[in-house]
Amino acid sequence: MNHNQQLLHKLLTNINKVIIGKNETITLSLTALLARGHVLLEDIPGVGKTMLVRALAKSLNCSFSRIQFTPDLLPSDVTGVSIYHPQKHQFEYKQGPIVGDIILADEINRTSPKTQSALLEAMEENSVTVDGQTIVIDDPFFVMATQNPIEYEGTYPLPEAQIDRFLLKLTMGYPTEAEEIDMLDRTGGIHPIETLTAVIERQDVAKMQEEVNEVYIDPMVQEYIVKIVRMTREHPSIRLGVSPRGAIGLMRSAKAYAYIQGRDYCIPDDVIYLAPFVLKHRMILTQAAKYEKRSIDQIIEAILAQVEVPTRKGSD
């Protein structure tokens, strides 16, 4: 694991050449990647969402596809199509942009629910089906979808059943004044993304994903996750609580985050830190809670304060 920790450190350093001051977002994106999950990045335009995904793909020596979602985009524009070849007297599959390693699904809420479903099916199954033929998408397969939370005209909001398929929901936020000055300085000439080189091979990523599966999680920590998730279903301010998929996602995220931190075991602090990023997009508040202007983040914080943190017998 020491060798892989060095690789992860190189990766973070490499991405930071392009993305300034967003260590948390980068680390959480890697957490989702190593947990074989996907990320929904909700933020305003121009804060570096696309650049983050491009920098990640170039640093990993992985293929990169960008799908710009528009109202007229068809499911076949995502999954690919079968084309008939008269000379061969047979159909041949021409793969779509979803068949790749690192995928940027830009402005996912600007396309129709039918096209959204084509993307989300591929994310869930790691495969696409075209004319009865199933095409498996090899690991690593990582989708980062973006949406603009400000402008809703002409958009198709993701339904709860589909938004639940994203492992983490993240935001980038504006840079600080010093970071923005640094950004102008770095991009005055050739943009850093153009000179970025790979520091990890794609097979290394697949190996790390396998090693994340082996990270130990104590039954007490598993029970802690379940108690948190079950409390979201019973909370008076929550109309729709977190599904079992959310509990599995929190466990997988905790294992990947522990791995990134150089541990081969999870601790309750991993769960506490990741809970807002894994759970908040899987919950719907009651009308009364919205009227009282209560936020999901506040409620998650209250739930975490209520559920007893597991400790080893005999520990302080």
Side-chain angles (χ1 to χ4, degrees), residues 4 31 48 56 95 102 107 110 133 145 160 168 173 185 189 196 207-208 210-211 226 260 262 311:
N4 287 335
T31 299
L56 183 61
Q95 71 179 38
I102 311 293
E107 295 189 292
R110 291 210 171 276
Q133 180 186 359
E160 285 70 31
L168 305 176
D185 187 49
L196 211 62
K207 186 182 176 185
M208 287 180 191
E210 290 297 326
E211 289 179 351
V226 170
I260 290 171
T311 54

Side-chain angles (χ1 to χ4, degrees), residues 29-50:
S29 299
L30 290 178
T31 299
L33 171 65
L34 295 183
R36 290 190 172 93
H38 307 284
V39 168
L40 179 62
L41 195 54
E42 187 177 78
D43 219 322
I44 57 171
V47 291
K49 301 186 295 291
T50 304

Side-chain angles (χ1 to χ4, degrees), residues 258-299:
Y259 182 86
I260 290 171
Q261 300 304 313
R263 286 182 272 108
D264 59 1
Y265 59 91
C266 293
I267 58 175
D269 282 352
D270 298 331
V271 177
I272 292 166
Y273 172 66
L274 291 164
F277 304 106
V278 178
L279 304 183
K280 66 183 173 185
H281 60 291
R282 306 172 193 269
M283 298 157 55
I284 300 177
L285 295 179
T286 60
Q287 287 301 323
K290 289 177 184 176
Y291 180 75
E292 292 167 8
K293 296 186 176 177
R294 297 198 68 189
S295 72
I296 288 179
D297 285 309
Q298 288 172 339
I299 292 168

